[in-house]
Amino acid sequence: MDFRLLGPVRLQVRGQNVAIGEPRRQAVLAVLLLEAGRTVGVDLLIDRVWGESPPGQVRRSLQAHITRIRRALEQADPGGARVARDPGGYRLVARPEQVDVFRFRRLLREHPTDVSRLSAALELWEGEPLAGLRGDWAERTRRTLRQEYTAAIVAWADAKIRDGDAAATLTRLTELTDENPLQEPAAAALMRALYAVGRGADALTHYERILRALREELGADPGPELAAVHEAVLRHDLPTASAAPAPVPAQLPADVAAFTGRADVLAELDRFLADGTGEEPVLVCLTGTAGAGKTATAVHWGHRVRDRFPDGQLYLDLCGYAPGEPMPSSDALAALLSALLPEGTRMPPGQAERAARFRTEVASRRMLVLLDNAATLEQIRPLLPGTHTCAVVVTSRDSLAGLVALHGAHRVDVDRLSEADAADLLRRLIGTRVDTEPEATAELAERCVRLPLTLRLAAELAVSRPATPLSRLVGELRAAQQTLKLLSSGGDQRAAVRAVFSWSLRQLSEDTIRAFALLGRHPAPVFDSYALAALTGHSFDEARAVLDALVRAHLVHPTGDDRYGMHDLLKAYAAEIESDEPAALDRVYGYYLATIAAAMDRLYPAEANRRPSVASPECAMPALDDADSARDWLDAELPTVQALATAGRPEHAVTLSALLFRYLDGHHETAALAVHGHAIKAARAIGDRAAEADALVAAGGLHMQAGRAVSAAADMWAAYALFGEAGNPLGQARALGNVGMIEESAGYYRQAADYYTRALALFHRLGDLTGQAHQLTRLGTVEARIDRREEGYEHLRQAMALHQEAGHRFGEAWVKIGLGELAANEGGLADSCRLHAEAAALFGRLGHRGSEAWAIDGLGRAEALDGRPVDAAAHHRQALDLFRRHGGRDGESWALNGLGEACLACGYPDTAGANHAEALDVATRYGCHEQVARAHRGLARVASDPETVRDHYERAIARYAELGLPAAECTRTELAELSLSC
């Protein structure tokens, strides 16, 4: 039975309408429905249905209507909803979910941001509520319901906008605002939607329309919400889905097939979660021996309770017991933050900053964090959330006593399976043969030490030999364990486990066993078919076939599309198998280096001569047909690359750094620091001064982008000296050019020009056209800023010719930025806007977002000079977002100052002042002296106190003069004019 009030008053049973009768009877039913479960007094009923002047026999009429309603309800659904007679009135007995109004309100109350639930709420509306009913009560109720409907549409629209589907809201919001022109929440929602689809001008037009209506009809100005949306549109600071909403991670690995037992452990986990009502996160540590199924238990439980964590589930293998080193806490935090932050957000540089950001990101989220294979308390302590909204499950072979003592963790031991559970697992995996040979089954379980890992391996063997009795298989295993030499420190259990592994391998072909052994030497935790083909020397198809056999034997497990991993016990065992193939690792390193080189050639072909040459491998390589596929492959293999840099020979680390320099430049700061840091150590270990210098240049570039100018300069000068010792003038030229960039970032353009000129002379003497093109680009750009326009134009013209000849699109884009600055300085604002827009588009296609930010910021400056502050604000805001996501601390100060200037031109001095103040802070911290001066000038323009105004102007003039910039004189003139006007 379903009661409808959000439209005509109706009663439906199994989709069929049931007649209620005349409008007065519908009104009686509507009053009772809206008070369902509560007694409605007779007098109140009469007042709501008949109003202030009821007829003389109104009580008799009410009784008649009640009788007919009761009859209709009983006929429609005997024993269902009914009207009860209470002392003083009537009560409708019905469940709230039977009344559409209550369903509507509940959906809004419980799911205020869920698009699907809000859509379901709006679908309950069938037109005018209580349609056809008259009277004051009906009209008041309709007005209230319409207000709730408006609020629902606004909530739905906001949710759609956040989900990136703003266009779908425009029709409904436009209709709503046309019907209710003074509804400010609806107007604000429509402005947000228009802005989100790129119609900011229409959003401003709509604001002007409602502003006029409010003033004409109510004599009032817009309220705070609508005014704030208007200001945000002007500043282009309105959040939309285009700002990449934070993702909701769902990282739990697939649940284990045929998971068996552990009822006690799962019950304990459930209890800890239910009891976790304090201010601390629920923290549980599953400890136990290797192969006991700690990870499987944690993942299985995580899937059972994931609905309790709607903001996501994080999973991270900390590699505490893998053959290599455990994952450093800093790298673990980077991995966790990568899942939480919007794509491209800049990673905090240090462990402490990352830990703080991680706690901030999860502070208000209900999340499950599964930290697998932890080694020590020190490894996981920085990874712990700080609020009770999260639950953390840690698995470890260590007891982690400190986690219990210092952080209040609950420890749960995951021991061997019970005899019954072990037999049950074998039954689920093997089938009815278990029941026909119970004694053999019991012995098989004991021989496998009742560990899930070894039981699954044994079961796979049994399934692969269906005609062999279990007793015979047990005899084979018994013999293997008796003949296996015990490990000197492992004990019986470890020897038994190794025996199961050995026994499993005997069932495989020699080729598959060889591949398994070689995978134990693969330096990264994850691999694909190409990597196995390189290790084994097989073809790609042969490698795929071997991997299929290893997966069927449960010796490797899939982790993604053609991506595989190994349990650390199995990887360690594989590494122990004797192998006389030292060339296998050379082949796999050769494969990775060659594929990286091919990907870099796709992405940056003009710089191929600057990268080390790499021999073509004899094995198969993935097809990298275009720049997108090359970048996708590099992104996917980045964790493997980091492992290669750590585990390979020093020469490998050096080559990786040199190959990946441009790809890592402005991207993946964590990986870049690791790769280049390992290269510096490796080069020193083998005494390769030139390679050490190359790695120092790369590391210095990272420091420069992060605003660490002192560290950057130290690396560049150290590299310059090493290049000199190695007799490498080309490297010295590169180092000098980078020192010039450090000076340019600080605003010392004349000093930067000197370094660029020295580097250019070296590159010219060596005949290096690429180096000449880069130095001419930077030299021409800084000359544009110090009023050497003719020289700047000539140098940029030469640079463009060299870049175009080499097909170096990246360099061409930077030349366009320099030419755009020159055009703006000479009043050619249309040309300046075009050149900056073309540069931004080029950088966007190349995927170099940090450089794209500079082009967009330059476009904003040109638009501001052209009298278009609204467009300028949009582009400065966009540039600021890109700088913050992709590095470039100096760029932040440029974009903040530009945003401040645009906001002032739009008539928002307070917002302008806030942007300039932030720019001053950023520029001061990172030594961007020109932007310090620019910020002081901006703050002077918005200050009201004469002393403050003069102080900021004088600070700006002094800093501009120190830098030798033409802006010093302009600022003096500005101050003088202001003094005269006072």
Side-chain angles (χ1 to χ4, degrees), residues 366-644:
R366 290 173 292 171
M367 301 194 75
L368 174 65
V369 183
L370 204 171
L371 302 175
D372 199 15
N373 290 317
T376 63
L377 171 62
E378 289 69 26
Q379 184 189 28
I380 60 175
R381 180 181 285 154
L383 316 182
L384 299 179
T387 56
H388 69 284
T389 57
C390 294
V392 183
V393 177
V394 181
T395 74
S396 179
R397 298 179 198 173
D398 189 89
S399 64
L400 295 179
L403 195 64
V404 176
L406 300 177
H407 295 276
H410 306 283
R411 184 191 296 121
V412 180
D413 291 326
V414 181
D415 203 349
R416 299 184 298 166
L417 290 172
S418 67
E419 293 179 4
D421 286 341
D424 189 29
L425 177 57
L426 290 172
R427 182 179 297 106
R428 296 182 67 179
L429 296 172
I430 298 173
T432 56
R433 292 160 65 192
V434 165
D435 297 321
T436 60
E437 296 186 76
E439 292 182 0
T441 298
E443 184 177 354
L444 180 61
E446 292 302 323
R447 294 281 174 189
C448 291
V449 206
R450 301 203 305 273
L451 294 177
L453 175 63
T454 48
L455 287 167
R456 288 177 180 274
L457 290 172
E460 174 57 31
L461 287 174
V463 170
S464 68
R465 295 166 61 181
T468 304
L470 291 183
S471 57
R472 184 171 173 183
L473 292 173
V474 170
E476 293 178 12
L477 178 56
R478 187 188 307 122
Q481 289 176 334
Q482 289 171 349
T483 57
L484 184 69
K485 181 179 179 180
L486 293 179
L487 292 176
S488 59
S489 60
D492 290 344
Q493 180 169 305
R494 185 174 175 187
V497 170
R498 292 179 72 246
V500 174
F501 293 167
S502 175
W503 180 51
S504 299
L505 288 178
R506 292 179 190 175
Q507 318 304 315
L508 302 175
S509 69
E510 289 186 7
D511 196 39
T512 305
I513 295 171
R514 170 176 170 264
F516 174 75
L518 291 175
L519 283 172
R521 292 162 175 75
H522 189 272
V526 176
F527 50 88
D528 62 7
S529 301
Y530 290 103
L532 183 60
L535 271 171
T536 59
H538 287 333
S539 69
F540 177 80
D541 291 338
E542 289 169 337
R544 286 295 296 266
V546 168
L547 274 171
D548 289 343
L550 290 171
V551 169
R552 287 195 300 272
H554 295 277
L555 295 170
V556 303
H557 57 269
T559 63
D561 184 21
D562 194 30
R563 311 283 288 178
Y564 302 89
M566 298 176 74
H567 191 285
D568 52 14
L569 268 183
L570 287 165
K571 191 173 181 72
Y573 177 73
E576 293 175 2
I577 299 174
E578 292 184 8
S579 173
D580 57 354
E581 295 191 63
L585 279 181
D586 290 336
R587 285 196 300 268
V588 81
Y589 275 100
Y591 155 72
Y592 280 115
L593 292 175
T595 311
I596 290 169
M600 293 300 295
D601 286 346
R602 282 291 184 191
L603 284 170
Y604 305 103
E607 296 181 342
N609 65 319
R610 291 196 153 198
R611 291 187 288 270
S613 59
V614 176
S616 299
E618 297 178 0
C619 60
M621 291 172 56
L624 305 177
D625 297 326
D626 51 35
D628 288 339
S629 61
R631 186 174 297 282
D632 290 344
W633 186 87
L634 287 170
D635 291 345
E637 294 294 345
L638 194 55
T640 300
V641 168
Q642 289 182 254
L644 294 172

Side-chain angles (χ1 to χ4, degrees), residues 237-399:
D237 190 20
L238 194 61
T240 69
S242 63
V248 177
Q251 295 185 333
L252 289 177
D255 201 355
V256 179
F259 182 89
T260 303
R262 305 301 186 200
D264 55 340
V265 175
L266 297 173
E268 282 283 276
L269 289 167
D270 288 340
R271 182 172 66 81
F272 294 141
L273 183 60
D275 292 346
T277 57
E279 292 302 313
E280 301 295 328
V282 175
L283 180 55
V284 182
C285 181
L286 299 185
T287 64
T289 188
K294 300 180 294 297
T295 300
T297 302
V299 169
H300 180 72
W301 181 77
H303 281 285
R304 285 194 356 173
V305 299
R306 62 183 174 185
D307 290 344
R308 302 277 297 275
F309 302 98
D311 296 320
Q313 308 88 43
L314 296 171
Y315 171 85
L316 187 61
D317 184 355
L318 297 174
C319 305
Y321 302 93
E325 292 295 318
M327 180 181 292
S329 301
S330 181
D331 292 354
L333 286 163
L336 294 170
L337 285 171
S338 295
L340 294 171
L341 299 174
E343 183 180 356
T345 302
R346 184 172 54 209
M347 188 67 60
Q351 178 174 307
E353 294 93 335
R354 290 177 185 177
R357 183 64 183 270
F358 174 67
R359 290 192 295 272
T360 299
E361 289 297 322
V362 301
S364 59
R365 303 194 201 188
R366 290 173 292 171
M367 301 194 75
L368 174 65
V369 183
L370 204 171
L371 302 175
D372 199 15
N373 290 317
T376 63
L377 171 62
E378 289 69 26
Q379 184 189 28
I380 60 175
R381 180 181 285 154
L383 316 182
L384 299 179
T387 56
H388 69 284
T389 57
C390 294
V392 183
V393 177
V394 181
T395 74
S396 179
R397 298 179 198 173
D398 189 89
S399 64

